[in-house]
């Protein structure tokens, strides 16, 4: 682990440690009374959402290059500036609603004070980390990647909208956090940030607005300009949710074995969004959108004594982009615990890739050899997939839950494997091209943080 990685993780650890102590002494406000906590829940649990996102950032640190590899293989030329503008949309919405006379938590003046305080806290946290950790951006442009300032700003604005109008209608909260999520995704697609930068930025944005409101509430010494004019539904009437999940993936058998070199790809990771809209207390329809990636592991190097050289096998991960929908069921096993089950079907877009050889050494005339060339490529087709899964959710407050989940998915993509011309085999003596359907099934399991509405 280098110093930059260590610095980033220590910064995250500091936030995780200090946050509960900051919020534990917070005064009770309209937000915390009606939205942010269940009866009997400690005040420090208001910080679970930022803490979970910081933890996800730390856990994803080792997979950030694999996550970027998925982006580079699917949409390498993606360029858009929508994230530069969408980050401000929730805050613009707040001031537009207030200008139109729609009552929320506070009047225009107090809301503006809270917003300015949020900006100050966010700027302090983001810039302190950016210029301490000095993480290089994925595109190599600057060493100020961690955390994502755009994502921090977007989630700060989304939480501002949620604070001011979340009790008026959950639609406002959903719209705000959707804008924040799309901004974070845009930073990844534009190759400006790693996935760990975006997750930490989201946590900082939420944390900044939470802290600002605590400070401003103490300054005004009351619960909001229009405290008590709105009431919220009791938790669990219709448990619709939107969640971010990060987990481990394990294929039921090796996906590939090139030339009996021991290449396998059983272990991988999953990152995605999942949500469900409920028609009743128990039944709804779910949608799952996720990346799954399986890095292919081979022996490191192979010696060729006759030519005083070595070659190394280089592989691209296998995996794909999954979208599936289907029925979703929730059963309340205890006052704060829900068991969730699903059965989904949809489409799996598989990633194309190749196997390359990196040649190093000397030829017979002692000339230096240093070359890389493809020897095999694999071209899976888009296919149907089916899956099922279970999740146990612990409700942390009226709007937030953390789940442990386990899913299983099955598909039979049509794969084409083909050898390519190379200096190792100039006559193509071992040329082959194979096409056939290969079973592709895998288990995933991990943590999911869900916003309920």
């Amino acid at each position: 682990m280098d110093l930059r990685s260590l610095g980033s993780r220590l910064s995250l650890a500091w936030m995780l440690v200090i946050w509960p102590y900051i919020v534990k002494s917070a005064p009770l406000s309209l937000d915390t009374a009606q939205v942010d906590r269940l009866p009997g829940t400690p005040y420090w649990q208001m910080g679970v959402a930022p803490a979970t996102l910081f933890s996800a950032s730390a856990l994803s640190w080792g997979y950030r290059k694999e996550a970027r590899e998925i982006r580079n293989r699917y949409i390498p030329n993606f360029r858009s500036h929508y994230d530069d503008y969408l980050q401000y949309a929730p805050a613009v919405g707040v001031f537009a609603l207030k200008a139109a006379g729609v009552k929320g938590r506070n009047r225009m003046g107090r809301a503006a004070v809270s917003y300015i305080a949020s900006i100050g806290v966010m700027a302090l946290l983001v810039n302190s980390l950016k210029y301490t950790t000095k993480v290089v951006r994925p595109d190599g442009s600057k060493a100020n990647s961690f955390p994502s300032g755009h994502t921090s700003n977007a989630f700060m604005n989304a939480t501002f909208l949620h604070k001011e109008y979340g009790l008026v209608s959950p639609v406002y909260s959903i719209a705000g956090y959707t804008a924040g999520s799309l901004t974070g995704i845009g930073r990844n697609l534009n190759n400006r940030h790693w996935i760990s930068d975006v997750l930490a930025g989201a946590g900082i944005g939420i944390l900044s607005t939470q802290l600002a409101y605590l400070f401003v509430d103490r300054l005004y010494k009351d619960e909001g300009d229009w405290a008590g004019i709105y009431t919220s539904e009791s938790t669990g009437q219709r448990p619709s949710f939107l969640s971010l999940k990060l987990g481990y993936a394990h294929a039921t058998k090796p996906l590939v074995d090139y030339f009996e070199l021991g290449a396998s790809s059983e272990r991988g990771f999953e990152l995605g969004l999942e949500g469900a809209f409920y028609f009743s207390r128990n039944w709804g329809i779910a949608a799952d959108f996720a990346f799954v990636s399986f890095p292919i592991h081979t022996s490191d190097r192979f010696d060729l004594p006759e030519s005083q050289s070595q070659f190394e096998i280089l592989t691209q991960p296998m995996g794909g982009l999954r979208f599936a929908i289907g029925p979703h069921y929730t059963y309340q096993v205890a006052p704060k615990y829900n068991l969730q089950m699903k059965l989904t079907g949809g489409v799996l877009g598989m990633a194309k890739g190749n196997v390359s050889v990196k040649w190093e050494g000397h030829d017979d005339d002692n000339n230096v050899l240093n070359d890389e060339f493809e020897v095999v490529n694999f071209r899976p087709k888009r296919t149907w997939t089916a899956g099922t899964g279970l999740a146990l959710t612990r409700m942390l407050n009226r709007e937030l839950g953390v789940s442990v989940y386990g899913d299983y998915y099955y598909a039979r993509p049509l794969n084409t494997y083909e050898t390519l011309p190379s200096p190792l085999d100039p006559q193509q003596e071992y040329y082959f091209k194979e096409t056939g359907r290969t079973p592709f099934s895998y288990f995933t399991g991990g943590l999911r943080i869900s916003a309920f509405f």
Side-chain angles (χ1 to χ4, degrees), residues 162-437:
H162 168 70
K163 287 282 190 181
E164 289 297 324
Y165 287 100
L167 282 179
V168 178
S169 171
V171 172
Y172 292 117
S173 301
I174 296 166
Y177 286 114
T178 298
S181 299
L182 291 175
T183 299
I185 291 171
R187 302 310 287 165
N188 274 275
L189 296 182
N190 281 309
N191 207 29
R192 296 289 291 164
H193 283 286
W194 308 96
I195 183 65
S196 50
D197 305 340
V198 169
L199 291 169
I204 289 173
I206 296 172
L207 174 64
S208 300
T209 305
Q210 292 276 24
L211 289 176
Y213 269 79
L214 294 177
F215 298 150
V216 172
D217 285 347
R218 285 193 170 185
L219 175 66
Y220 278 83
K221 302 184 187 306
D222 58 39
E223 299 177 350
D225 293 336
W226 286 301
I229 67 170
Y230 297 110
T231 59
S232 58
E233 277 190 39
S234 61
T235 303
Q237 292 300 312
R238 292 167 60 182
S240 303
F241 68 90
L242 178 66
S243 64
L244 172 69
K245 61 181 180 179
L246 176 65
Y248 169 79
H250 185 87
T252 56
K253 66 176 184 177
L255 298 178
V256 292
D257 190 355
Y258 298 110
F259 310 117
E260 298 182 353
L261 293 177
S264 63
S265 54
E266 300 100 327
R267 301 179 302 277
F269 73 96
E270 178 185 50
L271 176 67
L273 297 172
E274 185 172 351
F277 180 80
Y278 268 69
F279 306 104
S280 67
R281 174 63 185 86
N282 299 107
W283 288 99
I285 185 168
D288 175 46
F289 179 77
F291 290 106
V292 61
S293 179
F294 295 91
I296 301 173
H297 309 284
T298 65
S299 302
D300 290 333
R301 289 179 178 270
F302 300 87
D303 295 320
L304 299 176
E306 297 83 1
S307 59
Q308 300 179 352
S309 61
Q310 295 178 322
F311 70 91
E312 180 180 3
I313 304 295
L314 304 176
T315 59
Q316 291 183 310
M318 295 191 76
L321 174 63
R322 182 184 70 243
F323 177 76
I325 60 174
H328 203 274
Y329 177 79
T330 293
Y331 176 73
Q332 188 173 21
V333 295
K336 295 182 182 180
Y337 289 89
N338 291 329
L339 181 65
Q340 298 174 316
M341 293 165 275
K342 67 179 181 180
L343 183 64
T344 59
V347 179
L348 178 67
M350 299 289 290
K352 300 177 181 179
N354 61 64
V355 179
S356 301
V357 168
K358 185 177 182 181
W359 185 284
E360 296 177 343
H362 300 79
D363 61 15
D364 294 336
D365 297 326
N366 206 33
N367 296 315
V368 176
L369 300 173
N370 188 358
D371 198 7
E372 182 179 325
F373 46 87
E374 294 182 14
V375 293
V376 176
N377 63 34
F378 49 93
R379 299 289 182 266
K381 299 288 186 180
R382 184 184 297 118
T383 186
W384 288 96
T385 185
T388 185
L390 291 172
L392 181 64
T393 301
R394 168 64 155 86
M395 296 300 298
L396 303 172
N397 54 40
R398 292 183 184 274
E399 296 183 328
L400 189 69
V402 173
S403 307
V404 177
Y405 76 91
D407 295 339
Y408 171 77
Y409 293 94
Y410 178 83
R412 281 177 56 85
L414 183 66
N415 282 294
T416 299
Y417 299 94
E418 182 179 16
T419 56
L420 303 172
S422 74
L424 292 178
D425 184 19
Q427 304 300 321
Q428 283 289 75
E429 296 179 11
Y430 300 102
Y431 173 80
F432 75 89
K433 182 176 181 180
E434 258 182 46
T435 299
R437 292 197 175 274

Side-chain angles (χ1 to χ4, degrees), residues 60 77 86 102 106 114 133 153 179 182 201 299 318 406 411 434:
S60 67
N77 299 317
L86 188 61
V102 180
N106 298 303
S114 298
T133 57
N153 190 50
L182 291 175
S299 302
M318 295 191 76
E434 258 182 46

Side-chain angles (χ1 to χ4, degrees), residues 31 35 61 69 89 125 150 161 202 222 268 285 295 321 355 391 401 425:
D31 250 337
V35 178
W61 194 275
E69 175 69 15
L125 292 175
H150 278 64
L161 177 59
D222 58 39
I285 185 168
L321 174 63
V355 179
D425 184 19

